Structure formats: structure tokens, C-alpha cells
Amino acid sequence: MAHVGLSMHFRRDPNDRRKELTVSRFTEVVHKNAVASRNTADAFIKEMLHYNIAEYVAGGDGRTHPLQPTAATIERFTGWVTAHLRTLDHIDGGDRLGRYLERPDMLATLQPLIADGLLASKPVREPNQTFSLFIWLNNGGIVMDWLMSGIDPDHAGQERIPTSVVSIGDFAKWLKLSRTHLGRKLRTAEELGSIGWLGQRGHSVMWVSHGFYEEYMTVQAAKLAVVDNAFKACFPPPQGGD
């Protein structure tokens, strides 16, 4: 939903009210693309306004109340873009990040293409069971990122891959999540055979299954491919290049 909202913001036309980012237009686009229900989209916008991630446009049409992301939100998303371009460069030795930093104004063109690609990507839109379980948890993506970042690459081929997580309470505190809510999600994942503990539950190192690890990596690879394709559309190689 965040990518949908940002793409609508960057594609807005100040001279065409039909292209403004408003609550009604946002909820309609989210529903039309089967991202979430209208009620969920409406609740999402209210959360964005409450936490100053989005704001009403000053001097906007009082009847439609156009919205925009705050400057801090744009700054954070710029960090998201640079992180993904840096990752792609590390994979193939490319120079995407350097080229982007020379033209940061291209963010307004790049992000909508990324959003389009994510909406069209089946691996991203329809991930497997455990990934789907976490993605609808507040900060669920960060939960998975933290689990996977603590994995030793040498252990990635194991059926039960050790992570760096031991205490659910400490894990929840670091993520600013309800321990009860996080614990409930982890228990469901445990019932699926996707996570577990090497010893006593909640008091030993947590492991993730090889299947869960592969689910996560599949989605990340698909997302990186979307970013790469969007980048190529915005920054075609110079003549004579590959």
C-alpha cells in the first residue's frame, strides 16, 4: 500500500484533480488492484497521517483533501532505493547507485515503475504460506529481515538453520512489537514447521526451516528484479554499453 500511495503522489498532476492523491482515490486503487480491502486502505491512510508519514497538502482543495508523503518519508524511501541499488551492484558489480546519485530527481520516475512491477509480480503478491503469515504483522517484514540477517551463510543449506534470536521478549522489544502478538505469530509459524528452537522454546536459539528461508529469498530476488527493471527503464545504458 505504501508503494501504491507513493506512486500516486509522484504521478499526480497539480492541474488535474482527478490525479490527486486523496483518501477516496487511494482506497479505490488499492481495492481495484486487490492489494487490500477499502476498509484496510482507509485504516492505513489514517495510520500514515497519525504517525506523520503522510500529510494534507497545504492550501489544497478543501473538498477533496489531497495528501502527500512528508519530507521525512521521502528521505526514508530514498534510503530504501539506495539500499536496493547497492545490493544489485554488489551482485553484479554494476554502477546503478552512482548513476542514480547523479540524478536523484529521477526518484519521481523510478518509484512508480517499481510500484507497477511489484503489483505485477506474482512471487511478491502471492508469497508462500509462512512469508504471508508475517507480512501482515506490523513490522512483519523487519521480523523476517532480522531473522534472516542473523543466519550464517555457511548454515543456509541445513534443514533447520540457526538464527541469532534467543529471547522472544528481547526480539519484540527491539522491534517495538507486542510480545503477545509476536509470540502468537511465531507459534503459528512453529506449527507450520517453519521455525523452532534448538532447545527450550523461547530460551534457546531459534531456527528457521530451509523452506522458509527459500520463501524469503524468492521474494527478495523477485523484488530486486523489479527494482532492476525499473532502473533500466529510467537509466538506459549509454550507447555502446551492454
Side-chain angles (χ1 to χ4, degrees):
M1 285 190 286
H3 275 287
V4 169
L6 282 169
S7 68
M8 293 176 69
H9 164 71
F10 286 126
R11 282 172 166 155
R12 74 194 188 286
D13 182 349
N15 299 315
D16 188 347
R17 291 178 181 173
R18 295 171 300 176
K19 293 186 178 181
E20 290 179 330
L21 171 57
T22 64
V23 174
S24 61
R25 286 198 66 237
F26 175 79
T27 55
E28 182 60 31
V29 171
V30 166
H31 176 71
K32 181 179 179 180
N33 286 279
V35 176
S37 68
R38 288 187 175 88
N39 287 340
T40 299
D42 183 70
F44 175 82
I45 285 292
K46 289 176 180 175
E47 288 279 293
M48 297 303 98
L49 290 167
H50 177 74
Y51 289 107
N52 200 37
I53 295 171
E55 62 188 1
Y56 289 113
V57 176
D61 188 334
R63 293 170 297 176
T64 57
H65 299 293
L67 305 164
Q68 64 184 9
T70 62
T73 299
I74 296 296
E75 182 179 352
R76 292 189 187 99
F77 180 72
T78 299
W80 185 93
V81 169
T82 57
H84 284 75
L85 295 180
R86 184 180 293 111
T87 299
L88 286 164
D89 287 346
H90 284 170
I91 291 172
D92 64 7
D95 62 347
R96 300 171 187 80
L97 180 57
R99 292 166 64 193
Y100 169 74
L101 292 176
E102 292 176 354
R103 290 289 312 278
D105 57 297
M106 289 296 288
L107 179 67
T109 303
L110 178 64
Q111 191 280 328
L113 295 179
I114 293 174
D116 291 347
L118 293 175
L119 287 174
S121 172
K122 185 174 181 179
V124 173
R125 294 292 305 277
E126 300 177 20
N128 289 335
Q129 192 170 18
T130 308
F131 194 98
S132 297
L133 170 70
F134 282 104
I135 205 64
W136 287 106
L137 170 71
N138 286 339
N139 286 336
I142 297 176
V143 170
M144 290 187 286
D145 291 344
W146 187 257
L147 284 173
M148 301 301 171
S149 67
I151 289 175
D152 183 332
D154 291 338
H155 299 157
Q158 299 179 13
E159 283 304 310
R160 294 182 174 182
I161 308 171
T163 71
S164 60
V165 175
V166 175
S167 167
I168 296 177
D170 290 345
F171 194 24
K173 184 177 180 181
W174 184 84
L175 294 169
K176 296 181 173 58
L177 290 173
S178 160
R179 186 189 187 286
T180 300
H181 191 41
L182 176 60
R184 188 181 303 118
K185 290 291 184 180
L186 291 175
R187 187 176 292 278
T188 301
E190 187 178 7
E191 292 170 354
L192 292 171
S194 299
I195 68 165
W197 281 264
L198 296 179
Q200 184 181 358
R201 185 182 189 278
H203 297 281
S204 61
V205 172
M206 182 190 298
W207 55 260
V208 300
S209 70
H210 185 71
F212 183 20
Y213 178 81
E214 288 295 316
E215 285 181 36
Y216 176 85
M217 291 304 172
T218 296
V219 174
Q220 297 305 316
K223 183 174 62 172
L224 285 169
V226 166
V227 175
D228 192 28
N229 287 334
F231 181 85
K232 289 176 181 176
C234 292
F235 295 86
Q239 290 186 350
D242 294 337

